[in-house]
Amino acid sequence: MARPGRPLKAGRVQRYTTVVLGAGGVGKSALVMRYGQNKFLDRYDPTIEEEYEVTVEYEGRRSVLNIIDTAGVEQFTGINENYIQRGVGFVLVFSLTQEASLRELDHIRQHIYRIKGGEQASSILASDGRNHRTDQGYNRTFPSYQAMQELAVKWGLPFYETSAKKGWHVSEVFNDLLSRMRKRYPNGTPQSKKRRRDQCHIM
C-alpha cells in the first residue's frame, strides 16, 4: 500500500497479470479475497476460475493487478498452461496440513519454468491461509518454518506463512510479487481482453 502522505508518481498505470496456483482446497480463493476485498471465505467453495481486477497503490505508484484465481491443479491441462502463458507473476499456495499439496507445487514450479523460463516470470511461495481456524493455532502437520525457509532457498522463491482468516502477511505476498513484476516488466503486461468478473481497489 502507498505510504501515508507520499504522493503517487505521475505516469501511465501499468497492468500485471498474476496467477494463483495450487492444489484444490489449499486456500487460494481465501487469499485472493482477503487481499482484494478484505473478506474471509469461511466456507470452501471449489473454484472453477475467477478473475479480479485490483487497483493497488504501493510504494508511491498505482498499478492494476489482473488476478486469476484458478481451480485446483492436481493434474496439468492445456487450460493450466494457458494461465501460465498469460501470467508474469505467480502465487504458489500450499496447505500446512496437506503434505501432498507441497509436492504438487514442485510440479507447478517446474511447469512455470518450462513454459515461461526462469527470466520471464516472478513467483512467490505462500502457505495455506484457510486452516488457521482458531486463535490458539491450527493442525499443522508439516513442515517446520525453518524447513520451509530452506526449501524456499533451494527453489529460489520468497516464502510467506499466511493466514487469510487473520489477515496475516497476505498483503505482503502480493506486494512483494508486484515489486518483482515491476522490476522485470517496467512497462507492465498487456491487459487481458477477457471480461473481468469483479473489481476492487486497494488504498
Side-chain angles (χ1 to χ4, degrees):
M1 299 180 184
R3 297 176 182 175
R6 184 177 179 181
L8 292 172
K9 297 179 182 178
R12 185 167 64 91
V13 175
Q14 308 300 342
R15 294 175 176 268
Y16 297 94
T17 300
T18 301
V19 186
V20 183
L21 293 162
V26 297
K28 299 184 297 296
S29 297
L31 290 175
V32 172
M33 292 298 292
R34 173 60 76 183
Y35 179 67
Q37 299 187 16
N38 198 27
K39 296 178 180 178
F40 175 65
L41 297 178
D42 196 34
R43 181 176 61 88
Y44 175 53
D45 185 13
T47 300
I48 298 176
E49 179 219 333
E50 295 288 345
E51 291 194 36
Y52 301 89
E53 185 177 272
V54 183
T55 300
V56 184
E57 295 181 3
Y58 179 61
E59 294 182 336
R61 296 169 57 190
R62 182 179 287 115
S63 298
V64 175
L65 296 184
N66 177 44
I67 301 177
I68 304 175
D69 179 17
T70 66
V73 287
E74 285 76 5
Q75 61 181 7
F76 253 76
T77 66
I79 294 176
N80 304 132
E81 295 195 0
N82 179 58
Y83 295 147
I84 294 176
Q85 290 284 6
R86 292 174 59 189
V88 296
F90 302 88
V91 179
L92 309 182
V93 186
F94 71 99
S95 170
L96 291 169
T97 65
Q98 300 174 26
E99 187 171 359
S101 69
L102 184 58
R103 293 195 299 269
E104 182 63 38
L105 278 194
D106 194 17
H107 296 300
I108 295 171
R109 180 183 64 87
Q110 292 179 44
H111 274 284
I112 292 172
Y113 188 86
R114 177 178 60 82
I115 295 170
K116 303 292 290 188
E119 299 302 320
Q120 298 183 37
S122 299
S123 298
I124 301 285
L125 184 62
S127 64
D128 176 20
R130 280 187 66 86
N131 289 329
H132 293 258
R133 296 298 186 187
T134 68
D135 292 337
Q136 289 73 36
Y138 52 93
N139 184 28
R140 181 179 188 142
T141 57
F142 86 106
S144 69
Y145 184 79
Q146 180 178 352
M148 273 311 309
Q149 289 286 7
E150 292 173 354
L151 181 60
V153 170
K154 179 181 177 181
W155 285 359
L157 302 179
F159 166 62
Y160 290 88
E161 190 167 306
T162 67
S163 169
K165 183 174 185 179
K166 299 291 185 179
W168 295 337
H169 308 303
V170 176
S171 292
E172 286 91 331
V173 169
F174 288 93
N175 291 341
D176 187 347
L177 184 60
L178 175 58
S179 292
R180 294 168 186 273
M181 291 188 294
R182 282 173 172 173
K183 291 177 181 177
R184 185 159 290 179
Y185 293 95
N187 295 322
T189 51
Q191 182 179 2
S192 172
K193 295 181 181 179
K194 186 170 183 178
R195 180 177 63 88
R196 301 293 184 271
R197 305 259 183 111
D198 202 352
Q199 294 188 357
C200 42
H201 301 271
I202 305 295
M203 303 296 292

